[in-house]
Amino acid sequence: MLNDGEKGVVIQRDKVTYAIAPHMPCGLVTAAQLRKIADVADRFGAAVKVTSAQRIAIVGLREEQVDAAWAELGMSPAGLTGLCVRSIKVCPGTSFCKRGLQDSLDIGQELDRLYHGLPTPGKMKLGVSGCPNQCGETNFRDIGLVGSAHGWKLLVGGNGGGKARIGECVAEGLTKDQALAAVAKVVAYFVANAKPHERLGRVIERLGIDALKAAL
């Protein structure tokens, strides 16, 4: 039996079948990739599921089908499990949305390139929203960027789950370069100070928000 994360799989409820999800940076996918996903699902008798992390999972694969499914897809696995930067959830921003105030897809793809799959002490999720409506669910991300007419707002320490936490604003009016530099400092602070399996919000509660602000 494969372990969660091994070969990019997640064991399903039946403890027999697996789900795989190819990496789709910021939820962007081509028509050709969609056709390939559908073809692979049909070939192996699997289901498809749009996930909350803006991916499409192929669900119901048997262990002996996993390698063949990945080979036919020709796409890299998403960071589904483990202690790493899991996903960068991004709204359409000024590329597509009439309410967008900042280019969330541009900075989101840069964050994905820099951090997706990066090993961290605890799991970490990032989000980018191009306006204060926060369709990227940035208030519930370890690190969130929210666009305004005056630049980017940086939120830290948010998470969902059984002990949900709203992110705290630590900077506003940032340019793209300033936002990327600030995110890099937050990630470095988290890596240096988090205990195993600890989320950024718990680090902030343990050490105080002023310690993180000082690192910025």
Side-chain angles (χ1 to χ4, degrees), residues 87 89 123-129 133-146 155-168 199-201:
S87 63
K89 189 168 187 175
K123 67 180 178 182
M124 173 170 266
K125 298 181 179 181
L126 279 63
V128 185
S129 297
N133 285 342
Q134 297 201 38
C135 294
E137 298 182 342
T138 27
N139 260 327
F140 295 99
R141 301 276 145 174
D142 297 275
I143 302 175
L145 291 175
V146 181
L155 306 177
V156 297
N159 61 259
K163 295 182 179 179
R165 192 177 192 278
I166 299 294
E168 301 178 53
R199 295 291 291 271
L200 178 58

Side-chain angles (χ1 to χ4, degrees), residues 6 11 21 67 84 88-89 106 124 143 145 170 186 211:
E6 185 179 356
I11 188 72
D67 286 339
C84 65
I88 293 86
K89 189 168 187 175
D106 175 56
M124 173 170 266
I143 302 175
L145 291 175
V170 292
V186 175

Side-chain angles (χ1 to χ4, degrees), residues 17-195:
T17 61
Y18 299 86
I20 64 173
H23 184 42
M24 299 175 179
C26 302
L28 295 172
V29 60
T30 67
Q33 288 171 330
L34 285 174
R35 293 187 189 98
K36 181 63 72 174
I37 290 168
D39 289 344
V40 170
D42 281 344
R43 176 180 172 184
F44 296 104
V48 291
K49 172 70 173 69
V50 177
T51 76
S52 60
Q54 298 181 330
R55 298 170 180 143
I56 298 175
I58 300 175
V59 183
L61 295 170
R62 298 190 305 274
E63 182 174 349
E64 64 271 18
Q65 295 176 321
V66 169
D67 286 339
W70 276 125
E72 188 167 326
L73 275 173
M75 300 171 70
S76 61
L80 290 174
T81 62
L83 305 181
C84 65
V85 176
R86 295 282 189 87
S87 63
I88 293 86
K89 189 168 187 175
V90 182
C91 79
T94 52
S95 297
F96 302 107
C97 181
K98 65 182 180 181
R99 292 184 172 83
L101 298 173
Q102 295 292 332
D103 193 344
S104 54
L105 284 174
D106 175 56
I107 197 169
Q109 289 179 90
E110 182 68 9
L111 290 171
D112 185 274
R113 185 187 67 79
L114 291 169
Y115 300 114
H116 180 255
L118 178 76
T120 48
K123 67 180 178 182
M124 173 170 266
K125 298 181 179 181
L126 279 63
V128 185
S129 297
C131 84
N133 285 342
Q134 297 201 38
C135 294
E137 298 182 342
T138 27
N139 260 327
F140 295 99
R141 301 276 145 174
D142 297 275
I143 302 175
L145 291 175
V146 181
S148 74
H150 307 291
W152 292 104
K153 175 190 293 185
L154 176 63
L155 306 177
V156 297
N159 61 259
K163 295 182 179 179
R165 192 177 192 278
I166 299 294
E168 301 178 53
C169 179
V170 292
E172 296 185 75
L174 302 175
T175 65
K176 174 186 174 181
D177 289 344
Q178 289 172 333
L180 289 171
V183 169
K185 290 180 180 179
V186 175
V187 172
Y189 178 85
F190 178 62
V191 171
N193 291 282
K195 297 177 180 180

